[in-house]
Each structure stands twice: as C-alpha cells, then as structure tokens.
Amino acid sequence: MFPFHLWPLTAHFYRGRLYLRHLDLADVATELGTPLYLYDATTIEHAIAAYRRGLRAWPGEARLAYAAKAWFTLAMAQFLDRRRLGLEVVSEGELAIAEAAGFPPESIHVHGNNKSPALLRRALELGVGAIVLDNLDELDRLEVLAAAQGLTTSQAIWLRLNPDLVAPTHPYRQTGHYGAKFGLSPDEALTAAGRIARHPDLKLVGVHVHIGSQIFDLEPILAACERLIELATALRQRGHVIRFLSPGGGLGQPYHPDDPRFDLVQAVERVARHCAEVWERQNGRIEPPTLVLEPGRSLIARAGVALYTVGSVRRLADGSRIVAVDGSMADNIRPALYGARYTACLPARPLDAASGPCRIVGPLCESGDVLLPAVALPDVRPGDILAVPVSGAYQLSMASNYNAALAPAVYWLEDDHLLLIQRRQRPADLLQRDLPLPP
Ligand code: LLP
C-alpha cells in the first residue's frame, strides 16, 4: 500500500507516476533542478481547518499562532496573515521576515529563553501582541528597556511556565522538565507577576506552557494544561486578569509508514475540551480566556516534499545499495540529529517492486550525511528523481551551508499555480558576508 497519508493531500497517481495536482513530480524536478522543495498550500489549508474545527471544543475565543521556527519565508508569512493566523517568533530574524511581509505586530508573540536586547527593543517598538517572559533575568532587562523606550501603551506580557513534566519525545525536543532551560517555576511566575504589576509600562495578560515537540501521547500535554490553568487561577486570585491561555504546540506528525496515525481534529479537540473542563472546575463561571495554540510541524510538515537527483549507486556484497543524491544533511539534519525516520519513493515509478534496501546519502564529507538509513526501492539509476515526503517542517529552517552546500529552491503550489518563493542559493550568496584581508 502506498502511504498516501504521508504525502500532500493533492498527491495521486496518473499512468503509474506520482503527481501533485497536475504536476508530474519527476518531470518538474528534472525541469527545475534539484535539490528542490515543493510546498502544497492545500495541505496547509487543510491542517489549519483541522485545528479550527478542534478548537470549537473551547467555550471561549480561540486563536492559532504559527511557530515560525518550523519553516518561515516571506510568502509563508503572507499566506498566514491572509488566513488570519497569529505568529510566534523567537529571533530578530524571524521578526524581520514577519515585518517585511507586513504581518500585523499585534498578532505576533515573542518567545525565547535568551532574547537579545535587540529583539526585545524591536518587539517593544512594534508593540507586539505579547512578549513571553522566560526567566527573571529577562524581566530585569525588560523593565529597563520598557522604561527607556517611552511606550505609548504598556507592553503585554505572558509568563512561560516550566511545568516540571517530561514530554514523550526525543530528549532534544523536551522543554518542560525540571532542569530544562525554558520557563519559570510556579514560584518564579508569581514573583514575576508581582513585579510586572508594579511596572507602569508592562501588563501581564497571559500564561503559556510548551513541553516539547513531536508528541503523540497527549496525557503529558493535558497534565501541562492543568498546571498552566492552576497558575492562571492563582494569578487571578491575586487580582491579575489573565486573558490568554496558551498550551503551546508540539502535536505529533507521522513521517514513516510505521509511525502511529494521528487524528489532528480529535487531538486538538481533546486538548481544548480538557482545558475547558479544568478551567471550569477551578474558575466556575468566570469567563474563559482566549485559548492560543501555536503549532509548527503539524501545520506544514506534510505539505512539503523534497526532491533529489540520484548521482551514483554503489552495490554492496550483502545486496544492499548506497544511493547518493544531491541533497544532504545540509537541507535535512533531522536524521543525523534525532535519528528521524523518513520514507521515499521514485516518483516516476512509485509502484515498482522493491529490489532491496537502499541507504540514501548526500555528497557531504562525512559518513553521518545520511537522509534515509534504509528504504526499500526498485532498481535505481543515476539521473532518477527521489522524492521524500513530510519534508515541510524543521528541514529548511534548520538547513546549513556545511561544505558550502547551497540551499535548495522552494516552490509553492497553490490552486494550479506553481510559484518560486525562494530561489536556489548561489555561490555569490555565500560570499556576500565575507570581507577580504588587506593585500
Ligand atoms: N511553541 C514553542 C515555544 C516551541 O518551542 C515550539 C517548537 C513550538 C511552539 C512548535 O512546536 P511544533 O508544533 O512544531 O512541534 N527541531 C525539532 C523540533 C524542535 C521544536 C522546537 N520548538 C525537530 O526537527 O523535530
């Protein structure tokens, strides 16, 4: 069975070849050059709709804010704004891209465990929707900067809670355990709230928690929601008005045919319903705050397909093959960094019988440059196009120029239009920041 649930919604077969809408994937990759990333807008729309449906289980207002770190460009920022999503950014760079796209600052909230003074200053200047306070040292800086800035209205602040919970995911993606670098303990949160209340240019309006990413078992997320609402309740009882409640992002995304299936609508509904129950239990008929979810991966991972050209095939004595393609750990570090597992196919003959396992490697100068350690493929020849689905999140946003590898071109498929939204990097781009030594 071909795992269509891992491919964009527009994927289908026509005459034995794999298409997205009218695009023959193998042909388009050959024509436009590889490595190439395609994003299917319909698949993103569908994920947004799934979130919005699930959020109906929350009795108050609900908002969706995209976590820019998953993948962010000018076009993506415009797309999100047109669909009235909010945005979560963590750096001056992400904020600058949002600004360039004309993204409304009031729909942006700013995260980060060590926000730079430049980021804080810019966020205050723009009057972003919220700065999410991560620690008390940051509050020291924020108090000074806000006072110095001569703000016309006070800056909205959320508190990020460290709930002391371990998320069931790769350790690099756990963010909510004791000892993690993120968030305030409940005591620190209460201290911060008191200080914010005394500052004329800051106002506390929300609380936030995010325990990690790529989570399929919702129980720890529900537990985090309970601790978050406990904090909101404690703050309310001390006279603070909490208008925003954000249980972060982190919902899981299947990448491999063996991964568990995950129903996004049901998962979002479960989180929203649980929050509603806990809110009511603790706060009775007090009006519920706005619930803000901030997903990254589950909105865009499935929309992205990476396309590579095979350059060489080495056959080993055990019958397996090493297939070298023109993409690498420079455009997808996830297998090397987290042991992330993917699947792949030859889009020109996706249904041909497999003739044994292939290790898909890139051209970089280390043996860790592996995209797929083992995938069953039919006969593969140099010049073939290889397609890797679920490539939309945390690949290009984590890309590097190791070995001076050039970043791939990115195309956007919306309705029947295929648009270039990020051109392929050129060697001249790499030289742009470099300055020569004097003669
Ligand atoms: N909110 C906060 C505060 C976050 O730190 C993150 C992700 C998100 C939301 C979005 O989480 P998502 O819905 O995308 O799971 N590089 C890793 C993932 C790191 C996630 C970082 N924070 C990977 O490739 O698996």
Side-chain angles (χ1 to χ4, degrees):
M1 278 290 281
F2 189 80
F4 273 111
H5 69 287
L6 301 178
W7 293 81
L9 284 166
T10 57
H12 62 102
F13 291 144
Y14 179 65
R15 296 189 170 160
R17 296 167 69 91
L18 183 60
Y19 280 69
L20 296 190
R21 289 185 181 270
H22 62 293
L23 291 182
D24 178 312
L25 280 183
D27 282 354
V28 87
T30 304
E31 189 183 316
L32 299 175
T34 54
L36 181 75
Y37 276 67
L38 290 185
Y39 277 86
D40 178 54
T42 305
T43 305
I44 310 177
E45 303 264 20
H46 196 260
I48 293 172
Y51 266 94
R52 289 188 164 148
R53 256 187 72 195
L55 280 169
R56 287 194 214 138
W58 175 249
E61 202 188 314
R63 287 192 199 162
L64 204 51
Y66 173 71
K69 67 203 79 181
W71 174 67
F72 199 48
T73 71
L74 202 59
M76 182 64 182
Q78 292 174 310
F79 173 85
L80 295 165
D81 184 31
R82 287 174 196 170
R83 277 143 194 89
R84 297 280 165 263
L85 270 83
L87 190 65
E88 180 253 300
V89 302
V90 297
S91 68
E92 263 188 283
E94 288 179 352
L95 189 53
I97 296 171
E99 277 187 74
F103 208 94
E106 63 275 15
S107 301
I108 300 176
H109 62 275
V110 180
H111 269 298
N113 67 299
N114 187 15
K115 301 174 189 76
S116 69
L119 172 60
L120 290 174
R121 230 176 266 123
R122 191 66 194 140
L124 290 165
E125 266 164 27
L126 290 171
V128 294
I131 295 176
V132 188
L133 186 78
D134 201 275
N135 56 69
L136 295 174
D137 291 327
E138 178 181 303
L139 184 53
D140 292 344
R141 279 199 290 280
L142 200 51
E143 284 168 339
V144 174
L145 289 171
Q149 202 115 359
L151 302 177
T152 46
T153 52
S154 53
Q155 173 61 53
I157 304 290
W158 298 355
L159 303 176
R160 177 170 180 166
L161 173 69
N162 178 320
D164 189 8
L165 287 164
V166 180
T169 187
H170 189 285
Y172 295 175
R173 289 191 292 252
Q174 294 168 339
T175 56
H177 52 290
Y178 178 80
K181 65 176 180 173
F182 301 100
L184 300 149
S185 69
D187 282 349
E188 287 172 332
L190 296 179
T191 303
R195 281 173 58 181
I196 293 167
R198 288 190 294 276
H199 197 291
D201 298 307
L202 303 176
K203 58 173 184 261
L204 175 64
V205 298
V207 289
H208 171 275
V209 75
H210 172 80
I211 61 167
S213 186
Q214 186 63 345
I215 299 171
F216 289 92
D217 170 9
L218 295 183
E219 288 303 330
I221 293 187
L222 303 183
C225 291
E226 285 169 29
R227 295 193 189 172
L228 183 69
I229 294 171
E230 274 162 25
L231 174 63
T233 305
L235 289 167
R236 193 178 61 71
Q237 287 163 351
R238 283 166 171 74
H240 302 281
V241 181
I242 299 302
R243 292 172 36 227
F244 298 92
L245 189 70
S246 173
L251 296 184
Q253 166 68 50
Y255 282 79
H256 189 274
D258 293 344
D259 288 344
R261 296 285 191 117
F262 193 74
D263 185 315
L264 203 50
V265 178
Q266 273 179 24
V268 174
E269 241 169 38
R270 204 164 149 219
V271 171
R273 194 172 303 123
H274 188 73
C275 285
E277 283 164 13
V278 177
W279 178 267
E280 203 194 305
R281 205 182 310 140
Q282 293 187 17
N283 296 282
R285 287 167 174 275
I286 303 278
E287 192 190 345
T290 297
L291 190 70
V292 186
L293 295 191
E294 48 177 29
R297 188 193 315 269
S298 47
L299 283 185
I300 52 144
R302 186 180 167 187
V305 176
L307 294 156
Y308 305 113
T309 304
V310 174
S312 71
V313 181
R314 177 194 295 257
R315 194 168 275 283
L316 300 182
D318 64 1
S320 70
R321 289 159 289 169
I322 301 176
V323 175
V325 297
D326 52 1
S328 67
M329 67 196 296
D331 65 271
N332 185 4
I333 190 76
R334 301 191 68 262
L337 192 57
Y338 315 111
R341 292 199 315 162
Y342 287 79
T343 186
C345 79
L346 303 180
R349 37 184 199 287
L351 295 175
D352 279 12
S355 54
C358 295
R359 186 193 328 156
I360 311 296
V361 303
L364 304 193
C365 298
E366 69 165 76
S367 291
D369 182 21
V370 174
L371 291 170
L372 290 91
V375 58
L377 290 178
D379 186 33
V380 195
R381 293 175 292 267
D384 280 342
I385 299 296
L386 183 86
V388 179
V390 205
S391 288
Y394 301 109
Q395 290 186 205
L396 294 179
S397 62
M398 297 177 77
S400 78
N401 289 124
Y402 180 39
N403 281 191
L406 300 171
V410 184
Y411 281 80
W412 179 264
L413 179 60
E414 184 161 358
D415 303 324
D416 282 329
H417 306 293
L418 183 65
L419 304 167
L420 176 66
I421 56 164
Q422 214 164 33
R423 68 161 170 77
R424 187 177 305 289
Q425 218 172 13
R426 304 172 182 135
D429 295 328
L430 297 182
L431 284 163
Q432 225 167 26
R433 289 184 308 133
D434 290 14
L435 302 169
L437 292 174

